[in-house]
Amino acid sequence: LIAARLDAIDPADRGLIQDASVLGQTFTLAGLAAVTWSEEADLEPRLRGLVRRELLDLEADPRSPERGQYKFVQSLIREVAYGTLARRERRARHLAVARYYETLGEEELAGALATHYLAAHQASAEGAEADAVAIQARLALGGAAARAASLGAHDQAVAYLVQALEVTADPAERGGLLERAAISASDAADHEAAQAFARRSVEEYQRT
């Protein structure tokens, strides 16, 4: 039913919904403009039309930290829209979001930045295309882990480091990531996991 609703709207606006789906359940006008390479003034009337169609909503609650942002009325609408994007389209849009976040230079976006680079890598074709994005994803995930650890969110730091392992082949780099994961797991009082990460770290270093 949702796919049918999306098919019924103007193709350009359907494309806008797809672009917005890459940003997440909630998104800013500035973020959407960056992904679509459009002017904010050109997007506003189109977004208002999608609000009238009850596909999107505008957060107007003055108490909400997301006030002024747009959001999908239902998470399933976003999932269906995202699912209709081809892999190459996903890659291009995730990279656009990541590069937009980098221009903002806001530390609190470290996790979101890493997530978009990882998603871009997952949508890349094997070979040089994926390898290039893997480097960016690894750096972003490492940065997100460091920020999470600095805030005391050690479980989250471990999760980012485990994701970084997925895009890391070099034994020395893997050893370093596992060593950091062992430290964060220990700080999270998960001593069993810390020992497992430490053993794997030694094994990777021995491969160098």
Side-chain angles (χ1 to χ4, degrees), residues 61-76:
D61 187 346
R63 298 166 297 179
S64 172
E66 297 176 344
R67 183 185 182 189
Q69 296 187 24
Y70 289 88
K71 61 182 180 181
F72 285 88
V73 173
Q74 298 176 351
S75 61
L76 192 56

Side-chain angles (χ1 to χ4, degrees), residues 86-185:
R87 285 184 62 187
R88 182 163 292 280
E89 293 174 323
R90 293 184 189 182
R91 179 183 187 274
R93 285 160 177 76
H94 280 297
L95 285 176
V97 177
R99 287 162 184 161
Y100 166 66
Y101 285 164
E102 285 179 330
T103 65
L104 298 179
E106 298 176 3
E107 291 186 357
E108 59 268 27
L109 292 175
L113 174 66
T115 298
H116 282 288
Y117 269 130
L118 184 60
H121 175 267
Q122 293 168 342
S124 298
E126 291 185 9
E129 184 179 270
D131 293 342
V133 182
I135 296 172
Q136 297 169 305
R138 184 161 57 249
L139 292 172
L141 287 162
R147 175 167 171 76
S150 71
L151 296 174
H154 300 294
D155 288 333
Q156 185 65 65
V158 170
Y160 285 132
L161 292 167
V162 169
Q163 289 179 318
L165 287 168
E166 298 175 9
V167 293
T168 306
D170 180 73
E173 291 187 15
R174 288 179 62 82
L177 291 169
L178 287 161
E179 185 176 358
R180 290 173 61 187
I183 294 170
S184 286

